[in-house]
C-alpha cells in the first residue's frame, strides 16, 4: 500500500489531535476515502480464488444483510446460481435517521435504488416470502409463487409493533407530542421517522422557549431492538438541542433494562459524565411502556421490581418476591421506541426458535450462523436469534463468516468461521460527541486503539461524514 494511503488512514483514526478543519477535509471526501479503504484489503474474491461449488442459493430479504450476502456470494462462487427475493425497490440507510432527526442529514441522503447494489447476474424476484417450508426446501411468495432452493439465506430483518402498545397506532406518530425516529417502510422506500423527530425537536424547543418546562419521556421496550443505543441517542440529542440555546425540559428515560448500557465502561461514562452534563434526566429502570392515552398525554408503564419476603435461616438471606405495578406518567412530549420482533413469515415457521428468549427469531448457531436443525439454511442480520448483533455493524461482520461457512457446507467441509458477537453502537451523547461502543460476546471489542467508554468528536465526524459512504460504496458491495 502506498505511503499516501497509509497517511490517509492515519488521519482517519488519529486520536483527537487532528483539527476539525483537517478531519472534515479528509472525511468530507468520503467516496474517495472509501475507494482507498477498499484497496487496502477488502472482502472481494478473485475468480481464480472462487469456489466451484454448485447449488441454487435463495436469499430472502433486500436489506443490508441480504444484499451484502448476494454481493459476497456472487464473487465467492465461480458459477453462482443466486436468487434474491425482496419487494423493495429502494434501500434505506437506516442509521442516518437519527442524524435526520438532529438536523444533520436529510431523508433524501438515506435513499438509493436497490438495482444499483444487486449484482446483475443475480435473479431478483420482486416479491415477499409469506411461508417457509424447510422440510421441502422451498418458499412461497405473497403472489403464490413457489421457489425451491438447495441453500437458503434468511435476511428478512425485523418488524416494528407499535400496535403492541395499547392505545397507539402508527398514525399517531408525529401528532400530539409523539415521535419515533424508527418509523420507516422499507417496501415503500419511506423513512418518515427522521423528519417527524426533527419536527419534534423543534416543537420541544418552541415549548421550552415559551417559558415552559415541558415533560419529556424517551422509552426503550422489553424486546430486542435494532441498535440498542438509539433510544438514548434521542434522549441526549434532543436535550442538547435545547441546552445549546440555554433552554431545558424535564426528561425521563423509561427503559425496561436495569442500567443505562451493558458495557461497564460505557455505562460508567453515561452515569458519571453524560447525564450529569445535562442534570435534568430521571431514569426509570424496569419500566416498560404498555399503554398510552394519546388524547390526555399519559403513558402507562409496567414496573417490575423485587421486595424482601421471609428470612431463610438456612440460607441466611431473604426470599425475594417479584412484583409488578402499573405506573402512569404524564408527558408533553414522548419519543417511543416500538417493541420489535422477527417478521411473521419466520416467526410462524419451523425456522424460528420455538421457545425461550429467542422465540420468533431465526434459530441459528450463534457462532457459525448456520441453522441448528436445517443445515442448508443460514442467517444474516437482525433476524438472527443470537445474544447480540442487531446493528448494521453486526451484519457486516456476519457477511464474510456466513458466506465462508455456507460455501464450506456446499463443499461438504467443516464450518470453521466463527461470529464473536461483534456489535457496534455509535452512541451520540451530544452534538459533536459520540461514544463508539464496540463489544462482542465477551465484552469490549475496540477496532481502533481508543478506549471504548470515552466521548470523542472524531467518532462524530467519522459517523456523520464517512460511515454512510463506506456503507454505500463498500459494505453494500461486499467489499468490507
Amino acid at each position: 500500500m502506498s505511503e499516501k494511503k497509509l497517511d490517509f488512514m492515519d488521519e482517519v483514526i488519529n486520536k483527537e489531535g487532528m483539527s476539525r478543519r483537517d478531519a472534515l477535509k479528509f472525511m468530507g471526501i468520503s467516496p474517495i476515502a472509501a475507494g482507498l479503504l477498499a484497496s487496502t484489503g477488502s472482502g472481494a474474491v478473485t475468480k481464480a480464488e472462487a469456489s466451484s461449488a454448485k447449488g441454487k442459493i435463495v436469499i430472502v430479504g433486500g436489506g443490508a444483510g441480504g444484499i451484502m450476502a448476494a454481493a459476497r456470494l456472487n464473487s465467492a462462487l465461480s458459477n453462482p446460481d443466486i436468487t434474491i427475493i425482496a419487494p423493495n425497490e429502494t434501500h434505506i440507510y437506516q442509521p442516518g435517521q437519527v442524524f435526520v432527526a438532529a438536523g444533520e442529514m436529510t431523508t433524501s441522503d438515506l435513499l438509493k435504488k436497490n438495482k444499483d447494489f444487486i449484482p446483475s447476474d443475480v435473479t431478483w424476484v420482486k416479491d415477499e416470502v409469506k411461508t417457509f417450508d424447510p422440510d421441502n426446501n422451498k418458499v412461497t411468495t405473497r403472489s403464490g409463487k413457489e421457489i425451491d432452493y438447495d441453500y437458503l439465506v434468511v435476511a428478512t430483518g425485523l418488524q416494528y409493533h407499535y400496535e403492541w402498545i395499547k392505545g397507539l397506532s402508527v398514525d399517531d406518530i408525529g401528532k400530539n407530542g409523539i415521535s419515533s425516529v424508527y418509523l420507516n417502510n422499507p417496501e415503500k422506500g419511506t423513512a418518515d421517522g427522521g423528519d417527524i423527530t426533527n419536527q419534534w425537536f423543534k416543537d420541544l424547543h418552541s415549548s421550552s422557549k415559551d417559558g415552559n418546562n415541558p415533560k419529556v419521556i424517551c422509552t426503550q421496550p422489553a424486546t430486542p431492538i435494532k441498535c440498542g443505543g438509539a433510544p438514548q441517542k434521542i434522549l441526549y440529542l434532543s436535550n442538547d438541542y435545547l441546552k445549546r440555546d440555554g433552554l431545558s425540559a424535564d426528561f425521563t428515560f423509561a427503559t425496561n433494562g436495569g442500567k443505562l448500557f451493558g458495557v461497564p465502561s460505557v455505562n460508567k461514562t453515561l452515569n458519571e459524565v453524560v447525564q450529569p452534563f445535562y442534570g435534568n434526566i430521571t431514569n426509570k429502570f424496569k419500566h416498560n411502556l404498555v399503554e398510552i392515552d394519546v388524547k390526555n398525554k399519559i403513558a402507562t408503564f409496567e414496573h417490575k421490581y423485587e421486595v424482601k419476603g421471609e428470612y431463610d435461616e438456612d440460607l441466611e438471606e431473604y426470599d425475594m418476591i417479584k412484583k409488578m405495578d402499573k405506573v402512569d406518567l404524564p408527558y408533553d412530549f414522548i419519543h417511543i421506541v416500538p417493541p420489535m420482533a422477527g417478521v411473521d413469515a419466520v416467526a410462524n415457521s419451523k425456522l424460528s426458535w420455538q421457545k425461550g428468549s429467542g422465540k420468533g427469531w431465526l434459530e441459528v448457531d450463534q457462532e457459525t450462523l448456520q441453522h441448528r436443525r436445517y443445515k442448508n439454511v443460514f442467517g444474516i442480520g437482525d433476524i438472527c436469534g443470537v445474544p447480540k448483533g442487531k446493528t448494521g455493524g453486526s451484519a457486516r461482520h456476519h457477511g464474510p463468516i456466513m458466506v465462508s461457512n455456507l460455501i464450506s457446507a456446499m463443499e461438504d467441509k467443516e464450518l470453521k468461521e466463527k461470529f464473536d458477537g461483534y456489535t457496534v453502537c455509535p452512541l451520540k451523547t451530544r452534538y459533536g460527541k459520540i461514544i463508539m461502543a464496540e463489544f462482542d460476546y465477551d465484552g469490549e471489542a475496540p477496532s481502533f486503539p481508543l478506549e471504548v467508554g470515552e466521548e470523542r468528536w472524531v467518532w462524530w465526524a467519522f459517523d456523520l461524514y464517512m460511515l454512510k459512504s463506506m456503507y454505500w460504496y463498500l459494505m453494500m458491495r461486499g467489499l468490507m
Side-chain angles (χ1 to χ4, degrees):
M1 185 167 57
S2 75
E3 201 169 315
K4 273 190 175 181
K5 293 175 185 175
L6 283 171
D7 288 343
F8 179 83
M9 288 299 294
D10 287 342
E11 290 288 351
V12 172
I13 65 172
N14 193 359
K15 292 184 179 181
E16 304 278 60
M18 75 174 91
S19 68
R20 291 195 175 201
R21 181 186 297 275
D22 287 342
L24 291 172
K25 176 182 176 183
F26 282 98
M27 295 181 182
I29 54 169
S30 46
I32 298 173
L36 292 175
L37 286 167
S39 68
T40 66
S42 69
V45 177
T46 67
K47 284 301 176 185
E49 299 171 314
S51 170
S52 59
K54 299 289 195 299
K56 181 179 180 181
I57 300 171
V58 169
I59 300 168
V60 180
I67 292 180
M68 282 191 285
R72 284 183 174 275
L73 285 165
N74 197 56
S75 64
L77 294 166
S78 56
N79 293 291
D81 180 0
I82 303 170
T83 295
I84 187 167
I85 306 173
N88 54 309
E89 297 271 3
T90 301
H91 190 92
I92 304 169
Y93 176 62
Q94 294 185 51
Q97 287 185 257
V98 172
F99 276 128
V100 173
E104 300 290 325
M105 287 184 183
T106 65
T107 297
S108 62
D109 293 329
L110 315 183
L111 308 177
K112 287 188 182 293
K113 297 296 183 182
N114 257 352
K115 67 180 181 180
D116 295 334
F117 302 105
I118 297 176
S120 59
D121 51 349
V122 168
T123 300
W124 182 7
V125 177
K126 296 179 183 179
D127 204 342
E128 180 184 35
V129 168
K130 291 295 289 182
T131 60
F132 291 88
D133 184 1
D135 291 325
N136 294 297
N137 294 333
K138 67 179 182 181
V139 298
T140 303
T141 70
R142 186 165 53 194
S143 66
K145 184 176 183 179
E146 291 188 353
I147 299 173
D148 61 0
Y149 60 82
D150 297 308
Y151 298 91
L152 178 69
V153 176
V154 182
T156 56
L158 49 71
Q159 61 182 336
Y160 305 141
H161 285 289
Y162 291 97
E163 76 282 0
W164 286 3
I165 301 168
K166 185 179 178 181
L168 182 70
S169 73
V170 172
D171 292 338
D172 293 316
I173 308 301
K175 303 171 186 174
N176 298 311
I178 300 173
S179 154
S180 179
V181 75
Y182 280 93
L183 185 64
N184 60 38
N185 187 320
E187 182 170 355
K188 293 181 179 178
T190 59
D192 297 331
D195 287 323
I196 286 172
T197 307
N198 179 252
Q199 185 60 51
W200 186 84
F201 275 35
K202 293 174 181 177
D203 292 344
L204 173 57
H205 187 279
S206 295
S207 178
S208 301
K209 194 174 182 179
D210 289 340
N212 302 318
N213 189 41
K215 293 181 175 66
V216 185
I217 301 175
C218 293
T219 74
Q220 182 162 338
T223 66
I225 63 172
K226 180 191 294 286
C227 187
Q232 288 185 74
K233 296 176 187 180
I234 299 302
L235 171 70
Y236 301 134
L237 288 176
S238 61
N239 208 340
D240 198 30
Y241 189 77
L242 303 181
K243 189 178 180 70
R244 294 185 305 171
D245 288 338
L247 304 174
S248 187
D250 180 8
F251 282 85
T252 296
F253 180 52
T255 173
N256 187 69
K259 60 180 69 174
L260 291 174
F261 208 85
V263 179
S265 62
V266 176
N267 189 61
K268 182 179 180 181
T269 299
L270 293 174
N271 278 292
E272 297 181 4
V273 179
V274 177
Q275 295 216 344
F277 170 77
Y278 293 108
N280 59 349
I281 299 171
T282 300
N283 295 314
K284 297 281 189 182
F285 297 117
K286 299 297 183 181
H287 280 64
N288 180 41
L289 179 65
V290 294
E291 186 175 349
I292 188 165
D293 182 337
V294 173
K295 181 179 179 181
N296 294 305
K297 293 190 172 183
I298 297 173
T300 301
F301 296 83
E302 287 183 346
H303 175 219
K304 297 180 181 179
Y305 60 100
E306 292 183 341
V307 297
K308 287 182 179 179
E310 293 184 4
Y311 184 76
D312 189 316
E313 294 184 358
D314 293 331
L315 297 176
E316 295 183 345
E317 63 183 32
Y318 287 94
D319 293 329
M320 300 305 294
I321 301 171
K322 293 183 178 181
K323 290 199 169 188
M324 183 180 70
D325 293 334
K326 291 286 185 71
V327 177
D328 291 337
L329 296 179
Y331 66 86
D332 297 298
F333 297 87
I334 186 168
H335 179 269
I336 295 174
V337 177
M340 302 181 195
V343 299
D344 291 342
V346 173
N348 298 331
S349 76
K350 292 183 178 180
L351 293 177
S352 72
W353 287 96
Q354 301 301 303
K355 59 183 179 180
S357 60
K359 186 176 181 180
W361 302 94
L362 185 68
E363 185 185 344
V364 293
D365 181 273
Q366 69 177 42
E367 293 183 335
T368 65
L369 303 178
Q370 181 186 46
H371 199 278
R372 286 159 44 94
R373 290 175 286 114
Y374 297 96
K375 301 304 181 183
N376 62 337
V377 177
F378 290 78
I380 183 173
D382 294 342
I383 189 59
C384 293
V386 298
K388 289 182 172 66
K390 298 197 188 308
T391 67
S394 295
R396 180 176 68 82
H397 280 243
H398 290 172
I401 292 164
M402 184 279 294
V403 167
S404 177
N405 285 337
L406 173 53
I407 290 174
S408 292
M410 295 172 73
E411 295 175 339
D412 199 24
K413 295 179 179 178
E414 179 186 357
L415 278 57
K416 294 184 178 181
E417 298 300 317
K418 308 291 185 185
F419 174 59
D420 61 6
Y422 177 84
T423 304
V424 58
C425 174
L427 187 54
K428 300 164 182 64
T429 54
R430 67 188 85 172
Y431 281 81
K433 292 286 186 179
I434 279 177
I435 298 173
M436 189 65 78
E438 295 180 283
F439 50 100
D440 58 23
Y441 293 140
D442 296 326
E444 295 182 6
S447 298
F448 297 102
L450 300 174
E451 291 186 21
V452 168
E454 291 190 12
E455 295 179 282
R456 295 181 183 275
W457 180 83
V458 70
W459 292 136
W460 175 275
F462 176 77
D463 194 7
L464 179 59
Y465 299 109
M466 194 168 184
L467 194 55
K468 178 164 61 71
S469 287
M470 291 173 66
Y471 180 91
W472 293 129
Y473 294 99
L474 297 180
M475 287 174 61
M476 293 291 287
R477 289 175 167 82
L479 297 175
M480 70 173 292

